[in-house]
Amino acid sequence: MSQENNKITLILMAGIAVMLMLFISILLIFIFMQRKKLQYRLNLQALQNAQKNKLIEAAVRSEEIERHRIAEELHDEVGAILGSSSLHFYGINIDDCDDISKEMYQKGKSLLDEGIQKIRGISHNLHSSILQELGLKEAIAHFCRKISHDSIVKIDLNLTDKHCTKVSQKNISIYRIIQELIHNIIKHAKANHIHIQSYYINHFLIFTISHNGNGLTQVQFEELRFIKDGLGLKNIENRMILLKAELQFSHHADHYLIEIKIPVD
């Protein structure tokens, strides 16, 4: 009887061992399958992110190409026509005209000169020639000098001298982001004083833009960037993704602050 009990005990223990091994095997297979699923999801997410970045890069590159095309047409076609019109216009003899005609002539001449200057300004703004020739720092400084006026908006600059002068898609994206942010501050925030600073720290290029207008907080920016009409903010976001950069909006006691943090290779 004792031997039979021992056999039964051994059989039970063997059965338990087999069941335990089977359970462990099933558990290991489950864990392995879950890891495979997780890895698959991660790979799929990485592929989707890579495809998204490629689409954004293509869109940004296409936008830049279109900017160059429009700039060249404005300069070569419209600029040439206006310049030729100016020569013909100045060739008119108004000595025998009455005072009203002379006044209209001077008004037309003034408007034509202004139109030529506007076309040149738009062309230079669309084209990154200054960025190519002088680098990021000088391009930003030139843009700020062009749009600032003490009676409307004053822009102070404190930019690092370490900006790379080599033209790259990264520099173009940084320049366009600064352009768009300053335009938004002047147009929407109604600021009359803007201060732009840049510096390097811990392998990051930091830009800070502070102003005394009615700016945005980070929460407001997160809400606005999903609005259909927020094309400017969407363009900024696309370029930030390509730069792998961070954009932060904040409100302080007497000013609003925008911080752009760009990793430097």
Side-chain angles (χ1 to χ4, degrees):
M1 189 71 178
S2 177
Q3 288 181 350
E4 289 181 3
N5 288 338
N6 289 338
K7 286 181 180 179
I8 291 171
T9 301
L10 288 172
I11 291 170
L12 286 172
M13 290 179 66
I16 292 170
V18 170
M19 292 296 292
L20 185 60
M21 290 179 66
L22 182 61
F23 174 76
I24 292 171
S25 299
I26 293 172
L27 182 62
L28 289 173
I29 291 171
F30 176 77
I31 293 172
F32 175 77
M33 292 301 294
Q34 288 298 109
R35 286 183 175 178
K36 289 285 286 183
K37 285 182 180 178
L38 179 61
Q39 189 61 47
Y40 173 77
R41 287 174 184 167
L42 290 174
N43 290 340
L44 182 62
Q45 185 66 43
L47 181 62
Q48 289 175 339
N49 288 339
Q51 289 176 336
K52 180 182 177 182
N53 286 345
K54 284 183 179 179
L55 289 173
I56 291 173
E57 187 176 352
V60 170
R61 189 182 297 112
S62 176
E63 179 190 341
E64 203 60 37
I65 291 171
E66 187 65 10
R67 281 174 176 268
H68 280 242
R69 185 189 67 80
I70 294 172
E72 288 174 358
E73 286 192 6
L74 283 174
H75 183 272
D76 298 340
E77 299 292 334
V78 181
I81 291 171
L82 288 177
S84 178
S85 300
S86 175
L87 290 175
H88 285 81
F89 198 81
Y90 292 163
I92 299 174
N93 187 354
I94 60 169
D95 292 339
D96 297 330
C97 295
D98 55 35
D99 290 342
I100 294 177
S101 297
K102 288 180 180 180
E103 184 179 344
M104 292 175 65
Y105 172 86
Q106 293 298 331
K107 182 66 175 178
K109 178 182 172 184
S110 175
L111 290 172
L112 182 57
D113 289 341
E114 183 180 352
I116 291 172
Q117 291 300 319
K118 291 283 186 184
I119 290 295
R120 286 176 180 169
I122 294 171
S123 177
H124 290 158
N125 190 33
L126 289 171
H127 201 287
S128 55
S129 58
I130 295 175
L131 182 62
Q132 293 172 3
E133 294 169 6
L134 302 176
L136 184 58
K137 177 184 176 181
E138 288 304 319
I140 294 172
H142 174 80
F143 171 72
C144 291
R145 283 195 301 269
K146 187 170 61 175
I147 66 170
S148 65
H149 193 284
D150 286 348
S151 63
I152 301 172
V153 58
K154 182 181 180 182
I155 303 179
D156 295 325
L157 297 174
N158 185 16
L159 303 177
T160 176
D161 291 323
K162 295 181 180 179
H163 289 128
C164 181
T165 55
K166 182 180 178 182
V167 176
S168 66
Q169 190 61 43
K170 177 177 281 191
N171 282 347
I172 292 174
S173 290
I174 294 171
Y175 179 64
R176 297 301 183 204
I177 288 170
I178 300 296
Q179 272 188 319
E180 190 67 43
L181 288 172
I182 293 174
H183 276 308
N184 286 345
I185 290 170
I186 294 173
K187 181 178 179 181
H188 300 293
K190 309 297 184 185
N192 57 31
H193 189 199
I194 302 171
H195 182 260
I196 304 172
Q197 183 179 7
S198 68
Y199 54 92
Y200 278 99
I201 184 170
N202 296 332
H203 304 290
F204 283 94
L205 172 60
I206 312 291
F207 279 90
T208 61
I209 305 174
S210 62
H211 64 88
N212 64 349
N214 184 22
L216 297 176
T217 63
Q218 190 65 22
V219 174
Q220 291 171 323
F221 169 72
E222 295 294 337
E223 293 173 352
L224 287 172
R225 67 176 180 161
F226 293 109
I227 297 176
K228 263 187 183 179
D229 296 334
L231 182 60
L233 293 179
K234 191 64 181 175
N235 287 339
I236 291 173
E237 185 182 7
N238 286 341
R239 294 184 186 276
M240 293 295 292
I241 291 172
L242 289 181
L243 291 170
K244 296 182 176 63
E246 299 174 15
L247 182 64
Q248 189 72 35
F249 291 78
S250 58
H251 180 212
H252 301 265
D254 58 348
H255 68 279
Y256 282 85
L257 181 71
I258 305 170
E259 182 180 86
I260 309 163
K261 191 175 182 181
I262 306 156
V264 178
D265 299 330

